[in-house]
Amino acid sequence: MIPSGAIYLVSGITDMRKSIDGLSLIVADVLEMDPLSCAWFIFCNRGRDKIKILFWDTNGFWLYYRRLEKGRFKSVSYTQIPKPLLGIFLN
């Protein structure tokens, strides 16, 4: 799957027990963005060894989940994130 819109890395720590409904609520309520847009939203856990990617495609959500057995995903400097938004544009 190749993203057709923006990609947002959601700052902070996400509870990886959340599924499509919980993550789409974060997008709508916290980020104040439309979860039905073409954007991809990337969520990371506290240990930075798990990510979930949520996006809408035509008639339903996709939810990708990735768990690293060794190592961690690199952290992002949150000083780069604009204060009004909790996500950064990566695309």
Side-chain angles (χ1 to χ4, degrees):
M1 208 36 97
I2 298 173
S4 60
I7 301 172
Y8 294 95
L9 177 60
V10 180
S11 66
I13 299 163
T14 302
D15 181 355
M16 287 291 126
R17 294 175 293 181
K18 291 188 184 299
S19 193
I20 290 171
D21 294 336
L23 296 174
S24 63
L25 277 174
I26 291 173
V27 172
D29 293 346
V30 178
L31 298 177
E32 297 179 351
M33 299 179 82
D34 182 10
L36 303 178
S37 68
C38 294
W40 285 27
F41 299 93
I42 303 173
F43 302 86
C44 190
N45 70 332
R46 181 181 303 275
R48 292 189 344 261
D49 62 342
K50 298 176 184 88
I51 62 169
K52 285 189 175 182
I53 302 171
L54 176 75
F55 66 96
W56 177 262
D57 180 37
T58 311
N59 64 352
F61 281 105
W62 280 92
L63 182 62
Y64 288 133
Y65 177 71
R66 171 76 180 199
R67 181 184 73 192
L68 298 178
E69 294 298 322
K70 292 182 182 179
R72 290 184 158 80
F73 293 104
K74 293 184 179 183
S75 61
V76 175
S77 171
Y78 294 120
T79 59
Q80 300 171 359
I81 299 173
K83 298 301 178 195
L85 294 178
L86 295 177
I88 60 173
F89 182 68
L90 299 176
N91 197 9

